[in-house]
Amino acid sequence: MRGSTGGVYSSLEQIARSGEWVDGPWRFERLRGAGHFLQLDRPAALTRLILSHTEEYRAER
């Protein structure tokens, strides 16, 4: 999960703890300079993280 530093809808603490509710692969990372809509504010960085995450866990299958 990627947490933004500019979001107003949920705190970084709430986001960081959301792994407690996930059964599958999960990780928390911060994207500085992004607001609530990460895909609009930092699309290239978010894409790299998604691809990295899926590649990491695809190897486990």
Side-chain angles (χ1 to χ4, degrees), residues 17-35:
R17 292 183 52 217
S18 60
E20 298 170 11
W21 304 98
V22 177
D23 292 328
W26 185 89
R27 70 183 191 210
F28 172 75
E29 296 189 37
R30 292 176 70 177
L31 269 180
R32 295 192 184 278

Side-chain angles (χ1 to χ4, degrees), residues 42-61:
R42 300 285 310 278
L46 183 59
T47 298
R48 281 192 302 274
L49 286 168
I50 292 170
L51 292 174
S52 168
H53 183 78
T54 56
E55 183 66 27
E56 180 178 344
Y57 292 104
R58 182 176 64 141
E60 291 182 6
R61 294 185 75 176

